[in-house]
Amino acid sequence: MNKFWLITLGIIAGIVALSNIGSIFGLAVSLLIIYAGVHYYLRSLSTLAKVWWASVAVVGGISAISNVPALIGVAALAALWIIYRKWNGQNVSVVAVKESDPFTNFEQQWNKLSK
């Protein structure tokens, strides 16, 4: 990709990420509240404690739903990361799929042993 377009897309993604930094922070706090609620819900023994921690997790979930624009900011941060990798000439691999066929893995290991 042309350097001009990388710079242009980088500036746009940076502006979008900076404009959504507050909602990204709010989403992170909401996810921490959900995590704490679920964690303590699973560890609690009494019914009252389970109700309390379930309500904490529900409040965190409602707060996370209200921070949906943070997903746009997270996507902009991911785009900035990809643009940075492209700028430095590094290979951009978003999804690494590993083959789980046992016969293929056996053949690869056999080839390594026979070399």
Side-chain angles (χ1 to χ4, degrees):
M1 188 179 270
N2 194 353
K3 299 284 185 181
F4 170 75
W5 292 113
L6 285 177
I7 291 172
T8 304
L9 290 175
I11 290 172
I12 292 170
I15 291 170
V16 170
L18 284 176
S19 66
N20 288 317
I21 198 77
S23 61
I24 291 172
F25 180 73
L27 181 65
V29 170
S30 299
L31 293 177
L32 285 173
I33 291 171
I34 292 171
Y35 175 76
V38 170
H39 176 76
Y40 288 115
Y41 173 81
L42 294 174
R43 302 242 183 241
S44 61
L45 299 175
S46 69
T47 306
L48 183 62
K50 284 189 180 278
V51 169
W52 170 255
W53 290 115
S55 65
V56 167
V58 167
V59 168
I62 292 170
S63 176
I65 290 170
S66 69
N67 287 314
V68 169
L71 298 178
I72 297 170
V74 171
L77 288 174
L80 278 175
W81 177 73
I82 291 172
I83 290 168
Y84 174 76
R85 299 277 302 222
K86 283 261 205 193
W87 184 271
N88 290 334
Q90 298 171 346
N91 189 13
V92 177
S93 175
V94 178
V95 177
V97 178
K98 187 173 183 180
E99 197 170 316
S100 64
D101 184 24
F103 298 109
T104 305
N105 292 334
F106 173 76
E107 290 176 10
Q108 289 174 354
Q109 290 177 355
W110 184 259
N111 289 334
K112 287 180 183 177
L113 288 174
S114 20
K115 285 183 182 178

